[in-house]
């Protein structure tokens, strides 16, 4: 295979570079990258999800996959408190989970702290994206979440 070398005399063009070997898939162009699934009847493109937020969301979803049922329930209560802040029922539930401890936090507690920091830094579109991806991974969990949100209606 003959190779061409660029001597620096002018700007190289795409034909100055050898083609990719057969079977190698080139990366998608930036214009074709999308972090969200297209939805039917959508009028405008959603705001793009930042790379950092996407990595944070993937991290939380990875943790979620490994959590026990009790840890997922605790996460659900935390998510519910974030979705409907200020509702008395969620504030009381959150207060019930607070404990003064003489020991270091466990891994799950550290994960929840990071989750809270990340969630607070996400915009509305990024939060909705997280919920959408979580729903793809565990539809029953998200369905339970929506029922819980609906259950807070009318409570002050």
């Amino acid at each position: 295979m003959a190779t061409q070398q660029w001597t620096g005399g002018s700007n190289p063009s795409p034909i100055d570079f050898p083609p990719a070997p057969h079977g190698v898939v080139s990366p998608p162009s930036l214009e074709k990258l999308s972090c969200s699934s297209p939805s039917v009847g959508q009028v405008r493109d959603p705001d793009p999800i930042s790379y950092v937020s996407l990595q944070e969301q993937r991290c939380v979803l990875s943790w979620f996959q490994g959590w026990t049922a009790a840890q997922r329930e605790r996460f659900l209560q935390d998510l519910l408190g974030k979705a409907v802040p200020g509702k008395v029922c969620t504030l009381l539930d959150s207060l019930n989970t607070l404990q003064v401890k003489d020991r270091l936090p466990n891994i799950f507690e550290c994960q929840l702290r990071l989750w809270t920091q990340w969630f607070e830094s996400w915009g509305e579109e990024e939060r909705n994206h997280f919920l959408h991806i979580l729903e793809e991974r565990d539809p029953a969990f998200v369905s339970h979440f929506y029922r819980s949100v609906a259950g807070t209606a009318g409570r002050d």
Side-chain angles (χ1 to χ4, degrees), residues 46-121:
D47 294 333
I49 305 298
S50 79
Y51 178 78
V52 171
S53 297
L54 186 60
Q55 295 308 312
E56 292 167 349
Q57 291 178 7
R58 287 178 176 166
C59 193
V60 175
L61 292 169
S62 172
W63 298 336
F64 179 84
Q65 295 297 108
W67 287 340
T68 65
Q71 290 171 326
R72 286 183 179 201
E73 182 61 31
R74 172 65 183 92
F75 178 70
L76 176 76
Q77 294 306 314
D78 190 73
L79 185 60
L80 184 60
K82 289 172 174 42
V84 285
K87 293 286 187 173
V88 172
C89 60
T90 59
L91 288 175
L92 292 176
D93 289 340
S94 295
L95 287 174
N96 288 335
T97 62
L98 294 177
Q99 300 173 6
V100 177
K101 300 178 183 176
D102 290 335
R103 62 174 181 79
L104 295 174
N106 62 33
I107 296 293
F108 175 71
E109 292 164 344
C110 291
Q111 290 170 339
L112 284 184
R113 287 181 188 172
L114 272 175
W115 145 251
T116 295
Q117 290 174 3
W118 292 340
F119 183 86
E120 290 172 356
S121 72

